[in-house]
Amino acid sequence: MERLSTATFIPDTFLGARDDFSMQMGVIWSKIKAPLIVPLLRITVVLCLIMSVMLFIERLYMAIVIVLIKLFGRKPDKRYNWEPMKDDVELGNSAYPMVLVQIPMYNEREVYQLSIGAACGLSWPSDRIIIQVLDDSTDSTVKDMVELECQRWANKGINIKYEIRDNRNGYKAGALKEGMKRNYVKHCDYVAIFDADFQPESDFLWRTIPFLVHNPELALVQTRWKFVNSNECLMTRMQEMSLDYHFTVEQEVGSSTYAFFGFNGTAGVWRIAAINEAGGWKDRTTVEDMDLAVRASLKGWKFVYLGSIKVKNELPSTFKAYRYQQHRWSCGPANLFRKMVMEIIRNKKVSLWKKIHVIYSFFFVRKIIAHINAFVFYCIVLPATVLVPEVVVPKWGGIYIPSIITLLNAVGTPRSLHLLVFWILFENVMSLHRTKATIIGLLEASRVNEWIVTEKLGDALKTLTVAAKLPRKPRIRIGERIHLLELAVGCYLFFCGTYDFAFGKNYFYLFLYIQAMAFYIIGFGYVGTFVPNS
């Protein structure tokens, strides 16, 4: 049978229009490519390579410090005075400092019993400890449940105070600040802070308070987080890898070298005098904990990190909760940097090296460069070089440095080394949100002070999963599952991968296709734990 031509099915006018459009686009591309696109892309590549080198040097420096700490055994109890608290026959329990334990919470239906129970189970002389539950709940049912739980522990002889406000001004910072105004707090020397899903061991105070008692220059004792649900899904495993590096390396290095690091907002003990001297809690950003830490450091106070003490807590297991958390954790530091950089420069109480560490290493490299470079370089610029072959990225910048940085990052969680590829893909996707949040913080744009409490599930997921098995009318909420930004970037990567597959020679399309797939999976909401609608 004689082959039919395309013209048999497609009118000549359409073919002509299509050819004219393609030709016009080709002419436009050729006109702007050489004078505009190529120089702009080259400049962007250079900037990204500079940022990569900055990150590489920072990671390498911290790796060297960690090795030296391990070799020379610079443990906290060797760098600072530490000895267990002892009974005094004459003074009795008054020999022990008065400790306040604050538990800020907001509609924590699933975990309030765990946190209150753990705090009330802390071992310390009963007349030298006060448990303060700061309940900002707007759900009246949850409020009643929390108050009833506090009353139950009070009936057992625990000195527990249930405090509420008639507003949520300042969110967590506002609640903590309000709690410090109570008359009974004036008699307290130290304050331990635990978020609603944190469960300290009973000996927590016995192991932390002595550092503050015997070292008057110390303002803060920070302990490590231990994740009770890290095996719940792949997303929680990825979070564990990132946070383990933070606690194993970043906090340890800051504590050992400059006696400064960012307070994690929970699982730490503060000297109340240091909080007051630093100006107390402020709600000008969404990272009130980091804000207080920087201000206290500028007053000359020192911090110590105790990685040997681990406090159980819960990772966000739904993508929605994780995304809100990452927005707050990325936007807040960038906004705080904007607000405090000149104050740090003008400060006269700390050394020049400490100023450089706080401004360059703590803020600029880790909180700004790390987020922006991860997205711009690996998700935008590198794929763009496929379309513009005149721009070449050296192997040391595109392969070797990222590989070394990734391996150094993996040392915090050796058990997850086999998930390294998934972690890279997941972090690249999340860098989209972190970059957006960082820019919002730097520019102080909309959503800069958005505060959404991270959802905790506790044991509720088991109940909801069982309930989900019951027959019911299905409800499809497409808007809650589809994320357009991720899908748009996924389409861009897929297009670049297809172009490289057709015209490239270096097999870069393999990475582009895999990374595009990661954006699609998250873009369609197939990541994290799916919580059925009850």
Side-chain angles (χ1 to χ4, degrees):
M1 184 177 179
E2 187 178 346
R3 186 182 298 273
L4 298 176
S5 66
T6 309
T8 306
F9 300 99
I10 303 177
D12 292 339
T13 54
F14 180 85
L15 287 172
R18 185 191 66 181
D19 292 341
D20 287 344
F21 177 76
S22 300
M23 188 177 296
Q24 289 173 4
M25 291 302 295
V27 170
I28 294 173
W29 175 251
S30 62
K31 289 288 186 182
I32 66 171
K33 183 178 178 182
L36 181 63
I37 302 297
V38 172
L40 185 62
L41 190 56
R42 280 178 178 157
I43 293 172
T44 310
V45 167
V46 171
L47 291 175
C48 289
L49 289 175
I50 292 172
M51 289 191 288
S52 294
V53 171
M54 292 167 66
L55 284 168
F56 172 71
I57 293 173
E58 177 71 9
R59 290 288 195 272
L60 188 61
Y61 159 74
M62 289 193 290
I64 293 171
V65 172
I66 287 295
V67 170
L68 293 176
I69 292 172
K70 298 296 182 183
L71 288 176
F72 295 100
R74 282 179 54 82
K75 295 182 179 180
D77 55 354
K78 292 184 178 180
R79 287 184 282 117
Y80 296 98
N81 296 324
W82 189 93
E83 59 182 56
M85 302 294 297
K86 297 178 182 178
D87 293 333
D88 190 305
V89 177
E90 295 182 1
L91 296 176
N93 284 348
S94 61
Y96 295 90
M98 196 74 180
V99 179
L100 175 71
V101 179
Q102 289 185 315
I103 312 173
M105 56 177 59
Y106 172 74
N107 293 338
E108 308 287 0
R109 178 188 297 268
E110 313 302 343
V111 294
Y112 74 93
Q113 286 181 310
L114 295 175
S115 58
I116 294 175
C120 292
L122 288 170
S123 175
W124 198 253
S126 59
D127 60 338
R128 306 300 291 171
I129 184 172
I130 302 174
I131 311 298
Q132 187 185 64
V133 178
L134 303 168
D135 189 11
D136 272 0
S137 298
T138 53
D139 187 324
S140 58
T141 303
V142 175
K143 261 188 173 180
D144 293 341
M145 292 164 65
V146 175
E147 186 175 12
L148 186 63
E149 182 69 10
C150 292
Q151 186 60 47
R152 189 172 72 84
W153 283 102
N155 294 338
K156 293 182 179 181
I158 301 297
N159 188 0
I160 185 169
K161 309 290 185 181
Y162 177 70
E163 305 287 359
I164 59 174
R165 302 187 291 165
D166 57 3
N167 60 71
R168 285 195 68 214
N169 294 341
Y171 303 107
K172 180 181 174 181
L176 293 171
K177 185 176 182 179
E178 191 69 24
M180 297 296 288
K181 293 179 180 178
R182 298 294 183 263
N183 287 329
Y184 54 82
V185 176
K186 295 177 183 178
H187 305 290
C188 297
D189 304 290
Y190 310 110
V191 55
I193 302 171
F194 300 102
D195 282 352
D197 58 317
F198 278 71
Q199 305 162 55
E201 297 294 335
S202 60
D203 63 349
F204 179 88
L205 296 178
W206 293 110
R207 298 174 68 184
T208 55
I209 295 294
F211 279 98
L212 296 168
V213 171
H214 300 304
N215 302 276
E217 73 276 19
L218 285 179
L220 167 67
V221 176
Q222 174 70 61
T223 62
R224 184 173 175 174
W225 298 1
K226 180 181 179 182
F227 313 111
V228 298
N229 65 331
S230 58
N231 291 323
E232 186 170 316
C233 61
L234 187 59
M235 192 182 79
T236 53
R237 289 291 292 272
M238 301 299 100
Q239 293 177 66
E240 181 191 39
M241 292 178 71
S242 298
L243 288 170
D244 274 353
Y245 178 82
H246 168 70
F247 285 107
T248 306
V249 179
E250 291 180 344
Q251 298 293 74
E252 191 69 66
V253 169
S255 175
S256 301
T257 54
Y258 298 95
F260 168 79
F261 48 82
F263 175 44
N264 294 118
T266 178
V269 186
W270 276 92
R271 188 186 300 273
I272 292 179
I275 294 178
N276 294 333
E277 186 182 346
W281 293 101
K282 293 185 178 181
D283 59 358
R284 55 181 174 174
T285 69
T286 56
V287 283
E288 73 294 323
D289 43 15
M290 187 181 296
D291 189 347
L292 176 61
V294 175
R295 285 186 282 113
S297 179
L298 294 180
K299 292 291 183 180
W301 290 99
K302 295 181 178 180
F303 309 155
V304 63
Y305 170 69
L306 305 180
S308 58
I309 303 178
K310 301 178 181 179
V311 181
K312 293 187 291 186
N313 71 294
E314 180 183 327
L315 290 165
S317 57
T318 65
F319 182 62
K320 181 180 179 181
Y322 183 57
R323 202 168 57 153
Y324 282 134
Q325 182 201 67
Q326 291 304 294
H327 174 86
R328 191 171 76 246
W329 285 6
S330 302
C331 180
N335 190 233
L336 183 63
F337 176 70
R338 170 193 170 114
K339 284 178 163 62
M340 291 202 70
V341 62
M342 293 309 299
E343 182 180 343
I344 297 170
I345 292 173
R346 290 193 295 261
N347 184 273
K348 296 180 180 180
K349 282 194 174 183
V350 298
S351 66
L352 175 63
W353 286 111
K354 192 166 186 177
K355 289 182 184 180
I356 293 173
H357 169 71
V358 175
I359 294 174
Y360 173 79
S361 180
F362 180 76
F363 273 116
F364 190 61
V365 176
R366 298 185 206 169
K367 310 300 181 186
I368 297 175
I369 294 298
H371 301 326
I372 293 176
N373 191 61
F375 177 67
V376 174
F377 192 31
Y378 303 116
C379 300
I380 301 296
V381 174
L382 276 178
T385 59
V386 169
L387 307 176
V388 187
E390 293 89 342
V391 179
V392 179
V393 177
K395 285 187 177 181
W396 62 263
I399 299 176
Y400 301 143
I401 283 183
S403 299
I404 296 173
I405 290 176
T406 301
L407 291 173
L408 290 174
N409 220 97
V411 299
T413 317
R415 78 183 188 102
S416 298
L417 278 173
H418 62 290
L419 299 174
L420 208 53
V421 173
F422 295 100
W423 179 79
I424 294 170
L425 298 173
F426 180 72
E427 284 294 294
N428 283 346
V429 177
M430 289 309 302
S431 69
L432 165 64
H433 294 286
R434 292 173 185 145
T435 298
K436 184 177 70 171
T438 299
I439 294 171
I440 288 173
L442 288 173
L443 299 179
E444 212 158 32
S446 61
R447 291 186 64 198
V448 67
N449 289 319
E450 180 183 69
W451 180 284
I452 297 177
V453 176
T454 305
E455 178 187 30
K456 294 100 179 176
L457 297 180
D459 295 326
L461 184 62
K462 298 175 184 177
T463 306
L464 290 172
T465 303
V466 172
K469 294 179 180 178
L470 300 175
R472 61 182 180 176
K473 186 178 179 180
R475 288 181 291 175
I476 301 173
R477 298 182 179 179
I478 298 176
E480 294 181 1
R481 295 291 297 270
I482 291 181
H483 309 287
L484 296 179
L485 275 176
E486 284 90 340
L487 293 177
V489 176
C491 289
Y492 167 72
L493 292 170
F494 186 83
F495 172 76
C496 292
T498 303
Y499 187 91
D500 188 61
F501 177 77
F503 304 107
K505 299 178 181 179
N506 54 10
Y507 299 101
F508 188 42
Y509 62 85
L510 294 174
F511 165 75
L512 294 174
Y513 279 148
I514 295 173
Q515 186 65 72
M517 188 61 65
F519 271 95
Y520 286 145
I521 290 172
I522 294 180
F524 285 113
Y526 289 100
V527 66
T529 301
F530 175 69
V531 181
N533 294 313
S534 56

